[in-house]
Every structure is written in C-alpha cells, then in structure tokens.
Amino acid sequence: LALVVVSCLYTIFSPKPIAPSLWAALLPTPNRAVATRTEISAVNPGNAEILARSQFEVTADILGELPDEVTLRYTTIDRRHVEEPIRMYPVEEGLRSFRGIITGENGKGILQNFTYSILAGDAVSPEFAVTVKQPPSAVVDNVRFMYPRYMGLDQKTESGGHIDAWEGTSVSIQATANKPVTSALLLFIDNENSAAKAEEISMDIEDGTHLSLEWSLSIRSDGTSPKFYRIQCRDDAGNTDPAPTLYSLNIRPDLPPEVTLHDPTQDLELPANATVPLAVTAQDPDFMLRYVILRVEKEGEPVWEEPLMEGQPRQDFQGSHDFRLSPLNLQPGEII
C-alpha cells in the first residue's frame, strides 16, 4: 500500500512522467529513453528520401512541460554543418505542434545527405537520416542560330544555353538529361525572381536523354518578351527538379525600316499626263535595305509598283524620282 501511495504521489507532483522510469526498472535496455520533463513525439517525416535542391520540412509534437525554445539540429554528411541549429515555431498559435525547415546552402536547396534530431527543453529526439536523390534535370549543350535571309548573317552554333538574338531568328537547342525522362518542357520566365511561369513548349525526346527543340524568337503583342528560360524534366516516377538551371534569353526587336517622302508634302490636283517629282530618303536602323518601292493604290487596291532602289543592299537610301501619271490611264476625278 505504501508503494502504491508513493507512486501515485510521484505521478501527480513529479515534473517528469513515471512510465519511462518504471519501464527502465522493469525492463532495462541500453536504448531506453530517460524520463524528461518534456517529451518529443510524432516527429515527421522521420527518415526520408528527398530530391536534390528541394527544402525539407520537419514537424513534431511537444508534450509535458513546454520549453521556451524548440530546436531542429542537422549534420551534413561532409560535416561542413554539425548540429546546425534551426529554431522551430508553432504551426498555429496555441498548438503544441512545431515546425522547422532546412533550406540548404544560402536557401538554394539541399544537395547532400544529412541527419537531424530535435532538442526541446531536457528532451532530445532520436536521430533521423535523410537521403538526397538527384532529380531528373537537363543541361543545354549548344544553341544554333538561323537568321532570316534579309539580315545577311551567317548561321552559327554556340555552346551553352544563353540566347541573345533578334526576333524572327530560328533557334535550335540540344540538351542532355541526367537520366531517362518521359517529358520535357521549355519554360519561359519574365523575371528571375518570379515563380510565375509564362509560355511553355514541349521538347522532343530521343533515347530518353537527348532533348531538342526548334522555335522562332518573337516579341509579344504588348511589346514584352521573356528574359529567362529553363528546362523542366519529368521521369516515369513523376519526379521533377524543383530548381532547374536558369538560362538568360534576350530577344532584340527587329526595328522596321523608316521611309520619308520629302516632296511632295501635300495632296495634289494634276492632269492625267502630269509628272510628279519625288524626293525620298529611307534607312534601316539595324540591318540593310533590300529595296525601296513606289506603290500606287486606287480605291484601296494596288494598281502600280515601281522600284526606286534595288540591287545591292545598303544601310540607307536618298534619291529623287519622276513619277509619270500617263501609264496609269487615269480618268478625271479619280484619286490615287
């Protein structure tokens, strides 16, 4: 009776639970937990496998005496980080469930195996192991640029994945995946720091790891264009890389040619057999002029074309031309 009474009083007034002490006395083992004022339970996910460059979230329930601070500690396999502390915070105000996140080096994701445990007051959880697996990813081997004929530029191939070319250029990229993949998307991104995706194009896959795509660079109708792109691969298990390599993309606008009619500068009323002297200048801001054409319309329909400049392309043109009306066989009152 005395033992029962003492045990009851101990259970009520002791800051530590009695169960671990009783089990330790009755069934002593080297790994049995020591009684503590605080108890750590339901550590999730425990031992785990994650993809490289992802983040790792841990939750745990705290029973017994609630300590001032709950700490998640992790140690990387290369021991560059040994029992690195990360403070855990309540999942919701007033709850005893705490959460901590391991974000990796400089917050860019985890790259190597590690172990972790939780420290809360006088309690320490068992140590858990996390294995890091490589996700399906792709690296751009080279980019081929095929320019429109009027640009007068030779085709070229550059190693790496960065793209800088004029709109209208046909671009072909070749990439290699680190493992067989079932799908691959080219994702365009407007801002390096934005998680929102823009357009996307499916890539061709050969032998599981050889990826290719050809498309024409274009600027959107609102004048904007994507600034970056990345390749997102998916394997047969549905895994994807949480942070694929980012490549820069600069699409230069192809500025239109500019033409100015210096004379005449106003509407004219002339005989049907008159000659109109024209003074014209033209230039292309970024490429060469191939031709300058005088185009005549009547009632919205083209009725006459006459070259003012043709032959060897050049940067600009300045010239005069006598525009004869008689070949048009115009009738009185007609407007061209």
Side-chain angles (χ1 to χ4, degrees), residues 135-326:
S137 61
V139 176
V140 177
D141 301 318
N142 58 71
V143 181
R144 184 182 181 192
F145 299 90
M146 294 158 284
Y147 303 100
R149 289 184 56 190
Y150 74 88
M151 292 185 180
L153 300 174
D154 295 331
Q155 298 182 7
K156 66 176 181 179
T157 300
E158 294 183 351
S159 59
H162 300 294
I163 296 175
D164 185 353
W166 285 274
E167 62 175 318
T169 302
S170 182
V171 174
S172 175
I173 68 173
Q174 303 290 326
T176 303
N178 62 344
K179 59 175 64 176
V181 299
T182 56
S183 68
L185 291 176
L186 192 75
L187 305 179
F188 295 102
I189 302 171
D190 290 346
N191 190 311
E192 184 178 11
N193 298 320
S194 175
K197 296 183 292 187
E199 301 85 357
E200 57 184 45
I201 308 176
S202 295
M203 301 186 68
D204 296 325
I205 303 174
E206 185 178 351
D207 298 330
T209 58
H210 298 290
L211 315 179
S212 63
L213 175 65
E214 181 176 331
W215 83 100
S216 181
L217 301 181
S218 61
I219 294 179
R220 303 183 184 113
S221 58
D222 62 359
T224 64
S225 61
K227 302 302 180 185
F228 304 90
Y229 77 93
R230 57 177 29 139
I231 298 175
Q232 185 178 74
C233 301
R234 187 179 299 273
D235 60 18
D236 54 5
N239 296 320
T240 60
D241 191 342
T245 302
L246 197 67
Y247 297 97
S248 63
L249 173 60
N250 182 31
I251 304 178
R252 304 183 189 183
D254 180 7
L255 301 177
E258 301 169 355
V259 61
T260 304
L261 181 63
H262 296 281
D263 189 35
T265 58
Q266 60 185 6
D267 295 341
L268 301 175
E269 185 174 346
L270 297 172
N273 62 351
T275 297
V276 184
L278 306 178
V280 180
T281 60
Q283 64 173 355
D284 191 296
D286 41 26
F287 294 105
M288 308 289 277
L289 292 171
R290 287 192 297 160
Y291 55 79
V292 178
I293 294 177
L294 168 64
R295 179 171 294 164
V296 181
E297 293 183 358
K298 183 174 67 174
E299 297 180 355
E301 296 295 330
V303 296
W304 182 266
E305 283 192 358
E306 190 173 354
L308 304 184
M309 186 213 90
E310 58 183 351
Q312 187 68 25
R314 49 176 146 164
Q315 189 77 36
D316 52 43
F317 166 79
Q318 181 176 353
S320 59
H321 177 73
D322 290 333
F323 173 34
R324 297 172 60 246
L325 300 181
S326 56

Side-chain angles (χ1 to χ4, degrees), residues 90-130:
V91 175
E92 290 184 21
E93 189 69 28
L95 295 183
R96 286 177 165 265
S97 182
F98 286 73
R99 174 172 55 202
I101 300 177
I102 301 175
T103 60
E105 196 77 23
N106 298 321
K108 295 183 178 181
I110 300 166
L111 297 176
Q112 58 179 309
N113 299 346
F114 65 92
T115 58
Y116 73 94
S117 61
I118 297 173
L119 174 65
D122 59 350
V124 180
S125 75
E127 187 173 78
F128 301 97
V130 176

